[in-house]
Amino acid sequence: MKLFLQNTIVVEKLFLQRADGLHPAAIAAVRNSLDQLREIRQSFLHEKELEFFDTLKFPKVQHSYLLGRYAAKMALKTFMNDIVVTEARVGAGVFQQPVLYLAGTGNIQLSISHTTEMAIAVIFQEGHPMGVDVEAVNTEQAETIKGIITDGEKNKLSKIHSDEHTSLTILWTIKEALSKVLKTGLMTPFHLYEIEDIEHREDAIICRFINFPQYQSISWISNGHAWSLVLPKKSILDLTILKSLYL
């Protein structure tokens, strides 16, 4: 496992294989200090994003905002090589989901997640929905999660990870990522996102869902954080590519 340096970004182009061909996407994971992101913010923020950033008063909020936008813009730059990222704006939809505004991009969409230290973003075409989430492994939060998962999932925790708190955090990121794909948010009853099968493959945890069998999740642990990507079940992703994200 690589240590996450003070200022780090990893971006990968993805090609999801399906019966009808390849579906492109791009994913970025970042950890940059607030000071560095402030210094370079004009190189990746849209003018309206810059205006909004200036209204943010608290450093933690500023940091989270810049982390998420930086990850999104770097993934977008990899997805579309000739893009000017300052012309792209990440806004919010009616359910507060991130929405990409950029002329001439058609149906390109994105999913973003961040903690106080790290962020991840994935850019994809509307026809191939995806969602991501990242959470720090936290004992107190893990105990809260344990109180809202199903009995069936409690019996599966040891199959996810040997450490229960880590398993619970992974499980949370899986459900968060699925809710982003479905655009339902976590206002939907939590048990509907219940996982079923669990498989370990190439350092990743692969799960499937009881009520949404058309999707799968791919999760990993890195630098005290749980990371999850949800995508269509029949899409084949080269997991060796994701290993570069095991920061």
Side-chain angles (χ1 to χ4, degrees):
M1 180 182 297
K2 295 180 289 183
L3 291 179
F4 218 145
L5 302 178
Q6 178 62 25
N7 297 310
T8 305
I9 177 167
V10 176
V11 188
E12 291 286 354
K13 189 75 175 283
L14 305 179
F15 294 95
L16 295 309
Q17 184 178 349
R18 293 182 62 84
D20 62 348
L22 296 177
H23 293 256
I27 192 167
V30 303
R31 177 180 183 178
N32 294 74
S33 68
L34 175 57
D35 287 342
Q36 192 206 31
L37 290 171
R38 277 176 173 163
E39 183 178 341
I40 66 172
R41 67 185 185 275
Q42 292 187 353
S43 69
F44 66 90
L45 289 182
H46 184 277
E47 60 180 358
K48 289 187 177 180
E49 293 172 331
L50 286 168
E51 291 174 4
F52 181 76
F53 176 77
D54 289 339
T55 69
L56 303 177
K57 304 302 181 184
F58 300 104
K60 283 188 177 181
V61 178
Q62 292 177 351
H63 198 188
S64 295
Y65 182 81
L66 291 177
L67 279 169
R69 293 307 185 276
Y70 189 47
K73 298 301 180 72
M74 295 304 99
L76 178 62
K77 187 176 181 179
T78 298
F79 187 81
M80 303 177 68
N81 295 326
D82 58 348
I83 199 72
V84 178
V85 294
T86 54
E87 294 179 357
R89 178 173 68 89
V90 178
V94 296
F95 299 116
Q96 297 305 303
Q97 76 275 23
V99 178
L100 179 65
Y101 295 95
L102 179 61
T105 56
N107 62 352
I108 295 176
Q109 299 193 5
L110 78 159
S111 179
I112 305 174
S113 181
H114 57 75
T115 67
T116 56
E117 301 177 61
M118 306 184 187
I120 187 169
V122 62
I123 299 286
F124 54 93
Q125 294 176 326
E126 182 181 12
H128 189 279
M130 303 173 74
V132 290
D133 194 63
V134 58
E135 298 286 345
V137 178
N138 178 285
T139 300
E140 184 176 336
Q141 181 178 345
E143 287 301 318
T144 301
I145 296 168
K146 189 175 183 179
I148 57 177
I149 65 174
T150 68
D151 290 339
E153 288 172 327
K154 290 176 183 177
N155 293 331
K156 295 182 177 75
L157 289 176
S158 62
K159 296 180 180 179
I160 298 174
H161 195 276
S162 58
D163 176 70
E164 182 176 87
H165 294 146
T166 300
S167 293
L168 288 163
T169 308
I170 292 171
L171 189 55
W172 179 268
T173 63
I174 291 171
K175 293 171 182 283
E176 278 269 23
L178 177 61
S179 76
K180 293 175 182 179
V181 173
L182 302 174
K183 294 183 173 62
T184 57
L186 292 178
M187 297 300 290
T188 299
F190 213 53
H191 69 272
L192 291 179
Y193 303 134
E194 184 174 358
I195 65 167
E196 188 174 29
D197 300 328
I198 301 167
E199 174 188 356
H200 289 260
R201 192 191 318 156
E202 298 186 38
D203 299 326
I205 304 114
I206 316 295
C207 296
R208 295 174 184 85
F209 303 93
I210 291 177
N211 297 307
F212 300 93
Q214 69 270 46
Y215 289 107
Q216 63 177 320
S217 65
I218 301 174
S219 307
W220 61 96
I221 289 292
S222 171
N223 210 292
H225 284 64
W227 311 71
S228 287
L229 170 69
V230 168
L231 66 160
K233 178 181 177 181
K234 293 184 179 181
S235 296
I236 299 174
L237 174 62
D238 182 357
L239 295 179
T240 61
I241 294 176
L242 287 182
K243 285 186 177 182
S244 67
L245 300 173
Y246 294 12
L247 300 166

